[in-house]
Amino acid sequence: MSAGLRIPLCSCCLLIVFFSASGCHQAPASRELIVLNGLTMGTSYTVKITAAETIIEQEQIQAAVELILDKVNNEMSSYLPDSTISKINRNKTTDWQALTPGLYAVIHQALEIGIVSRGAFDITTGALVNLWGFGPDGRTKNLPADEAVRLAMQRSGLHHIQLSHSPPLLRKDIGDLYLDLSAIAKGYGVDMIANYLDGLGIDNYMVEIGGEIKAKGVNREHIPWRIGIEKPTKNERHVQTVIHLHNIGMASSGDYRNYYEQDATRYSHTINPASGRPVTHNLAAVTVLHESTAMADGLATALLVLGLEEGYELAEEEDMAALFIYHTDEGFQEKITPQFRPYLLPSRQSAGLSKFSQGSSR
């Protein structure tokens, strides 16, 4: 678990609450629930397995899960100086550089999301993230000058990356391009653990890393896993809505946990690649469902960058299952794509749900 104590791959958190169904209806006898948890990527992870007749070697599975997470961390964290991505960032040449298969897969997915989102999701904005004080070096006392923002923007852009599949290679055509995978790596970690559990023949599980989730099968009450999505308030934690997950990944992105205020202005950690500055709009949080949690992770960030109108338009065009929570003078309101609605629980079903665990999401 050492890697979990090292670095945050993402530090903005939305509360995700896992519910049991007691009190809702008559269910078959509960199965055994195995819970594994620990620290990773500057946040926590939880794996829940609904055990039936299958013999679960709990210690063996937890050891394997932590090896998977250490591998993702050591490949993709810009907070670890010896990670693969940190070495690529330090390499100022424009030569081809070797990638691990996992790193290739994540960068390839990131480029796909960048194309779909018309550049709203951009893993090359690391220089901007660092400039605004949300990277490994932390905050600076003064806000960046316009000229500094302009120069950092010149060192970003997805078109400066080339990938080769076999063997997996990456080439930067700007030597000091800085890649930041913090908005997709946690989702990828969830997918890798889910793949591992699938390989063991485990059919009922929920995997969560810092709020990014993948669920399969049913919980101990024999119903799909139920997840509460947090209302995006700064100083309080309340559930905004409850959904059920079945064989799908989920990721959330919000601008209300990781930010700072200076001269009465609020600066979010979410950087708009088009302006080089933190986003400023009324969209507070986005949740996306996708079979790939990594894709959901990146898409949620992209939609948050775009804002309510453009983000919802893109989600509709691409048939995304997405929930938008936005500020109004009367409080928070929701805008939900048709693809997301089947996952909502009717309020009459969510009444009486009992919380038994909680995690956090970007």
Side-chain angles (χ1 to χ4, degrees), residues 12-49:
C12 179
C13 295
L14 304 177
L15 178 68
I16 303 297
V17 184
F18 311 112
F19 292 96
S20 70
S22 57
C24 295
H25 57 79
Q26 288 295 112
S30 297
R31 303 178 184 180
E32 179 185 1
L33 182 69
I34 294 173
V35 181
L36 313 174
N37 49 53
L39 300 175
T40 188
M41 304 183 191
T43 184
S44 62
Y45 76 85
T46 300
V47 177
K48 297 190 176 188
I49 300 171

Side-chain angles (χ1 to χ4, degrees), residues 145-184:
D146 291 346
E147 178 65 9
V149 173
R150 187 185 67 82
L151 292 174
M153 290 183 69
Q154 290 181 353
R155 297 165 52 200
S156 65
L158 293 174
H159 58 285
H160 294 304
I161 294 178
Q162 296 180 49
L163 284 182
S164 173
H165 177 262
S166 185
L169 300 169
L170 174 142
R171 180 181 176 274
K172 305 182 291 181
D173 64 21
I174 295 178
D176 56 357
L177 199 71
Y178 190 105
L179 306 183
D180 183 348
L181 303 176
S182 60
I184 192 170

Side-chain angles (χ1 to χ4, degrees), residues 86-106:
S86 290
K87 292 176 181 177
I88 290 173
N89 285 336
R90 285 197 304 270
N91 189 331
K92 304 304 182 184
T93 71
T94 56
D95 298 333
W96 288 97
Q97 300 184 60
L99 299 176
T100 63
L103 196 51
Y104 173 88
V106 167

